Amino acid sequence: MIKVVKFGGSSLASAEQFKKVGDIIRAEDSRRFVVPSAPGKRFSDDTKVTDMLYACYDLAAKGKNFDEQFEKIKERYLEIIEGLGLDLSLDEQFNIIKACFIGKAGRDYAASRGEFLNGIVMSNYLGYEFIDAADVIFFTDSGEFDAEKTDAAMKERLDGIERAVIPGFYGSMPNDTIKTFSRGGSDITGSIVAAAVGADIYENWTDVSGFLISDPRIIKDPLPIHTITYKELRELSYMGAGVLHEDAIFPVRKAGIPINIKNTNSPMDPGTMIVESTSQKPQFTITGIAGKKGFTVVNIEKDMMNSELGFGRRVLEVFEKNGLSFEHMPSGIDTMSVIVHQSEFEPKEQEVLSGLHRNVHPDSIDIETDLALIAVVGRAMKSNRGTAGRIFSALAHAHVNVKMIDQGSSELNIIIGVSESDFEAAIKSIYEIFVIHQL
Ligand code: ASP
């Protein structure tokens, strides 16, 4: 049995946390490949090492003195090394990094050193081999992740290796410079390693016991999700359920490897299992509820729209030309609405309006802002009758006006648009009807 284990920043923020991680890894012989993040926050007002590195490098890039900030980063590692009682010096590494900062090696290089150094500390602490991610994770010239090249190199490098530490978050470009994934990207590295070694399971250790049915900032103590499918997770992550990086599921999903989200501070909790499919009956009709604020609806009206060939294409062409991707597009016989991210739409607003007038000659265009979208997701919705009915009666009881409804053809989710001011009340009412009332 092979497990790939990824530990997030808060799991590695201090020597104390490192010790918990060490205990977890040693508890099971199968935990052979370890992917660490950079040290995260030790307390809520603390700064993540990644952010310290960005800030420090920004000074260096402007030619300013960055000694003080650099020393603070050194101290973070020193505190961990001393706390673990390791016989390890990172002085040489820090000298190289400083020289590269002065030589303006780039922001990605700077940020990646958080994981790089933590990987060295981790490999020293565990007695596992250290493998630099720059040698096994690759990006193309245009900055896209190069899955094929990476998989081949990773397989070759890890072949015959019993135990190794591979730092998360970064890889290298064809010109040998360092490039990182987007923030939180160590989750992706863990997934890539798991796929390459054909792991039985990818354990992603963080500071919460998995996904919750809803956002704890809105629902008090929401229940955890024990099992979720990749498809469900994708819908929920897209709508803001943020325990795992959105792109982390792709490599393992292709390889049919489940992900187990676990809590470093409470390792006995089962956490959430993310699987391709399951015969396990979910406890509730819905698996989760997530949502986001900050959408705008562009309502376009034109008599006889439905018989005008190519109308939809010409509408969307305007959005495409302005670099705007749309979220949803509910339509009526003579109306079509396009839902977009408000922050992306605002700067392009007038170009879009004039483009629409030119392209489709509408009778009227009306713009509505401050819309929130809520996704009610669940694999069990397909086999349960009346789900939509229950959602809408719950919303009606909570006096929430529904502005838009969209049900995906897979019957896995129902998306509801409400005014931002109704967002919290809407989520609470849906949680109540499907979870509280069903307990
Ligand atoms: N250290 C990086 C970040 O803070 C990557 C990660 O932790 O996954 O975003």
Side-chain angles (χ1 to χ4, degrees), residues 71-380:
E71 280 311 306
K72 286 203 176 120
I73 297 167
K74 269 184 163 177
E75 278 164 27
R76 288 289 311 260
Y77 287 96
L78 206 64
E79 189 187 298
I80 295 171
I81 291 170
E82 281 177 0
L84 294 174
L86 300 179
D87 180 22
L88 170 71
S89 164
L90 292 177
D91 284 350
E92 207 187 309
Q93 294 297 345
F94 274 115
N95 288 339
I96 297 172
I97 295 169
K98 193 166 206 175
C100 289
F101 273 33
I102 294 167
K104 302 197 171 65
R107 274 192 117 224
D108 279 19
Y109 166 80
S112 75
R113 296 305 87 181
E115 273 64 15
F116 174 78
L117 294 169
N118 228 20
I120 296 178
V121 176
M122 177 68 96
S123 75
N124 191 283
Y125 177 52
L126 296 171
Y128 283 21
E129 183 167 342
F130 174 77
I131 293 176
D132 188 350
D135 299 335
V136 282
I137 296 214
F138 299 106
F139 295 87
T140 63
D141 276 321
S142 55
E144 302 288 323
F145 168 59
D146 190 336
E148 241 170 77
K149 187 173 169 191
T150 298
D151 196 54
M154 183 83 78
K155 281 197 168 104
E156 194 183 321
R157 182 70 181 83
L158 293 181
D159 186 35
I161 292 193
E162 194 51 30
R163 293 170 191 281
V165 173
I166 304 119
F169 192 37
Y170 71 93
S172 57
M173 297 281 289
N175 65 2
D176 282 341
T177 55
I178 296 287
K179 174 160 174 59
T180 64
F181 290 110
S182 58
R183 295 300 302 264
S186 299
D187 287 340
I188 308 173
T189 311
S191 182
I192 294 166
V193 176
V197 301
D200 295 278
I201 191 159
Y202 168 29
E203 286 181 346
N204 189 295
W205 292 80
T206 174
D207 52 8
V208 289
S209 294
F211 283 87
L212 300 169
I213 293 181
S214 194
D215 187 338
R217 287 166 300 188
I218 300 172
I219 306 288
K220 197 175 173 296
D221 299 327
L223 293 178
I225 300 175
H226 292 306
T227 308
I228 186 169
T229 64
Y230 283 123
K231 275 190 193 152
E232 289 173 310
L233 179 66
R234 181 117 178 84
E235 301 284 347
L236 288 174
S237 312
Y238 186 70
M239 276 297 186
V243 180
L244 189 73
H245 192 294
E246 252 194 87
D247 296 339
I249 59 173
F250 299 114
V252 278
R253 183 176 179 179
K254 257 194 184 164
I257 300 166
I259 308 177
N260 192 187
I261 307 285
K262 297 275 286 177
N263 188 348
T264 301
N265 303 317
S266 189
M268 298 316 280
D269 288 354
T272 301
M273 265 307 213
I274 309 167
V275 296
E276 179 63 48
S277 63
T278 174
S279 59
Q280 264 188 49
K281 290 250 173 338
Q283 190 179 359
F284 308 105
T285 306
I286 60 160
T287 303
I289 315 161
K292 267 192 201 165
K293 291 181 178 176
F295 293 95
T296 292
V297 194
V298 182
N299 296 309
I300 304 152
E301 249 188 83
K302 186 177 185 186
D303 280 346
M304 307 292 288
M305 175 193 288
N306 68 326
S307 57
E308 199 177 312
L309 203 65
F311 188 90
R313 181 183 53 74
R314 286 196 294 278
V315 166
L316 292 181
E317 193 178 64
V318 176
F319 287 86
E320 185 184 349
K321 280 201 172 135
N322 282 285
L324 294 169
S325 78
F326 73 99
E327 296 299 306
H328 293 278
M329 200 179 57
S331 59
I333 298 176
D334 292 332
T335 63
M336 181 175 283
S337 303
V338 182
I339 299 180
V340 285
H341 282 280
Q342 198 149 317
S343 58
E344 291 168 14
F345 176 73
E346 264 167 10
K348 308 271 177 68
E349 180 189 85
Q350 293 311 315
E351 285 92 323
V352 172
L353 293 189
S354 56
L356 287 172
H357 278 289
R358 256 195 324 271
N359 253 23
V360 293
H361 309 290
D363 294 337
S364 70
I365 303 178
D366 155 66
I367 298 176
E368 233 182 294
T369 59
D370 304 324
L371 183 85
L373 295 179
I374 297 170
V376 186
V377 176
R379 59 188 182 278

